[in-house]
């Protein structure tokens, strides 16, 4: 187990090495010039050249990459070109609403999807199964932003019962946070709810058709006990996998949700940085997001040991 853990931790190093090269290459090759944007419309070519030299933007790509990589390895993601604040501090100041939003969206997805998937598997071929299957298809086909605007119009404009923008912070209390997060979490988790529902249904149908389930029914066990004690335990591994991947996806997919609901999270920070060609911020957000994604993958793999004792890592 320890050997496996060390091997997996070491495997993160080459993965992150490739990620740094891709992130730096994409931002370097993207159109636009941060020096021109920073200098303004009335700057002279000499002023633009001076800014480019000060920010090391005039150096070849390879020296620029290794200079940036060396700073990253020292824990320095650089400073924002416009605000001149450290990139790491900027990202940390926006992390709170993004993490809360991703956790809330994951909870919404799991609370809705797992019971629906189990119900569809239990009533396979019936009306409930057909409705759930339709939801599973529609949920992955409807764009998330459309769900967001529908929620805003219904609960924010028509009924006026829910806030439709902003994030009050944890200091305002759990109830206020919940009111501000519920609609964006529903939008963010909608597609993942449909996906988890389909995975739960397919996995549960496979388990419920096995011989030991028929034996359990023949012994007189009720369906609730069979599903809770036997079915859920066996579908835990695929469920944990898809929920873990969904959480990582939601962390990366908050860009649209935070833009629609005007939430000042990491997604909004990334959008603002792209609009202003703030390269250090773009690189920092992409790099940290990739590292979190890799870390979640590792945690999902390790969680298999808890949910299925038959799995052994050597």
């Amino acid at each position: 187990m320890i050997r496996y853990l060390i091997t997996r931790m070491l495997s993160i190093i080459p993965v992150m090495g490739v990620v740094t090269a891709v992130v730096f290459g994409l931002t370097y090759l993207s159109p636009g010039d941060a020096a021109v944007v920073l200098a303004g419309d009335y700057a002279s070519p000499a002023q633009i050249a001076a800014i480019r030299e000060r920010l090391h933007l005039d150096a070849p790509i390879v020296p620029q990459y290794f200079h940036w990589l060396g700073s990253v390895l020292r824990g320095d993601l650089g400073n924002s070109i416009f605000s001149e604040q450290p990139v790491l501090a900027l990202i940390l100041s926006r992390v709170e609403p993004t993490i809360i939003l991703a956790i809330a969206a994951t909870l919404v997805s799991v609370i809705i999807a797992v019971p629906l998937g189990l119900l569809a598997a239990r009533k396979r071929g019936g009306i409930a199964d057909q409705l759930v299957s339709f939801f599973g298809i529609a949920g992955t086909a409807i764009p998330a932003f459309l769900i967001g605007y529908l929620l805003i119009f219904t609960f924010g404009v028509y009924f006026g019962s829910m806030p439709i923008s902003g994030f009050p912070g944890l200091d305002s209390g759990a109830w206020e946070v919940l009111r501000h997060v519920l609609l964006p979490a529903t939008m963010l988790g909608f597609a993942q709810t449909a996906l988890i529902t389909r995975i739960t249904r397919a996995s549960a149908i496979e388990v419920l058709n096995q011989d030991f389930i028929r034996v359990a029914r023949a012994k007189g066990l009720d369906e609730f006990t069979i599903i809770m004690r036997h079915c859920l335990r066996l579908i835990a591994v695929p469920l944990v996998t898809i929920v873990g991947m969904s959480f990582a996806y939601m962390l990366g997919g908050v860009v649209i949700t935070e833009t629609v609901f005007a939430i000042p999270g990491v997604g909004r920070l990334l959008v603002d940085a792209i609009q202003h060609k703030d390269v250090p911020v773009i690189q920092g957000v992409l790099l940290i997001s990739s590292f979190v994604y890799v870390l979640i993958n590792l945690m999902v793999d390790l969680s298999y040991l808890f949910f299925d004792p038959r799995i052994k890592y050597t």
Side-chain angles (χ1 to χ4, degrees):
M1 172 62 187
I2 295 177
R3 182 180 177 184
Y4 173 80
L5 186 60
I6 294 174
T7 304
R8 284 300 307 271
M9 294 295 291
L10 290 176
S11 68
I12 293 177
I13 296 175
V15 172
M16 290 308 300
V18 173
V19 168
T20 58
V22 171
V23 167
F24 187 86
L26 287 176
T27 52
Y28 182 87
L29 296 174
S30 60
D33 190 335
V36 174
V37 177
L38 187 61
D41 296 334
Y42 304 104
S44 64
Q47 290 173 317
I48 294 174
I51 294 174
R52 193 175 288 122
E53 183 180 0
R54 177 168 59 87
L55 298 176
H56 305 289
L57 298 177
D58 55 347
I61 182 171
V62 174
Q64 274 196 53
Y65 169 68
F66 283 106
H67 175 76
W68 173 72
L69 185 60
S71 300
V72 170
L73 292 176
R74 293 192 299 271
D76 180 13
L77 297 178
N79 293 338
S80 167
I81 292 177
F82 289 90
S83 67
E84 297 185 350
Q85 297 181 47
V87 171
L88 186 59
L90 272 176
I91 294 174
L92 290 177
S93 68
R94 302 291 194 95
V95 156
E96 180 183 303
T98 299
I99 290 182
I100 290 176
L101 185 56
I103 291 175
T106 304
L107 288 176
V108 169
S109 299
V110 172
I111 290 172
I112 295 175
V114 174
L116 282 182
L118 292 174
L119 175 66
R122 178 67 185 84
K123 305 290 184 182
R124 186 182 182 188
I127 295 176
D129 184 24
Q130 293 178 11
L131 290 174
V132 170
S133 298
F134 175 77
F135 168 73
I137 297 172
T140 52
I142 299 175
F145 68 88
L146 187 61
I147 299 298
Y149 287 122
L150 185 64
L151 291 171
I152 289 174
F153 175 78
T154 304
F155 296 100
V157 178
Y158 188 78
F159 291 111
S161 56
M162 301 290 287
I164 58 175
S165 65
F167 181 79
L170 290 176
D171 297 340
S172 61
W175 174 243
E176 274 303 309
V177 172
L178 181 63
R179 289 183 71 242
H180 281 78
V181 159
L182 189 57
L183 294 186
T186 304
M187 169 189 164
L188 182 61
F190 185 76
Q192 298 305 308
T193 302
L195 180 62
I196 296 173
T197 301
R198 295 173 67 174
I199 298 293
T200 304
R201 177 185 176 277
S203 302
I205 286 175
E206 185 178 347
V207 172
L208 291 176
N209 284 331
Q210 293 189 15
D211 291 338
F212 74 95
I213 294 293
R214 298 191 183 94
V215 172
R217 286 173 177 150
K219 287 182 177 180
L221 281 181
D222 58 276
E223 287 297 320
F224 181 79
T225 303
I226 289 174
I227 289 177
M228 298 302 294
R229 184 180 297 175
H230 299 292
C231 183
L232 267 182
R233 185 165 59 88
L234 289 179
I235 67 173
V237 169
L239 266 184
V240 167
T241 303
I242 192 65
V243 170
M245 294 301 99
S246 295
F247 180 72
Y249 170 81
M250 290 175 191
L251 279 176
V254 295
V255 173
I256 299 175
T257 306
E258 289 181 355
T259 302
V260 171
F261 287 90
I263 296 175
V266 176
R268 281 287 301 280
L269 177 66
L270 179 61
V271 171
D272 294 340
I274 292 173
Q275 288 176 342
H276 295 92
K277 189 66 180 175
D278 199 341
V279 174
V281 175
I282 298 172
Q283 291 171 336
V285 172
L286 294 180
L287 193 60
I288 291 180
S289 300
S290 303
F291 180 72
V292 171
Y293 195 90
V294 172
L295 206 59
I296 290 175
N297 269 317
L298 175 62
M299 293 172 66
V300 168
D301 283 351
L302 294 178
S303 71
Y304 294 163
L305 295 172
F306 175 76
F307 290 105
D308 191 345
R310 294 173 298 177
I311 297 176
K312 302 291 183 186
Y313 292 128
T314 57

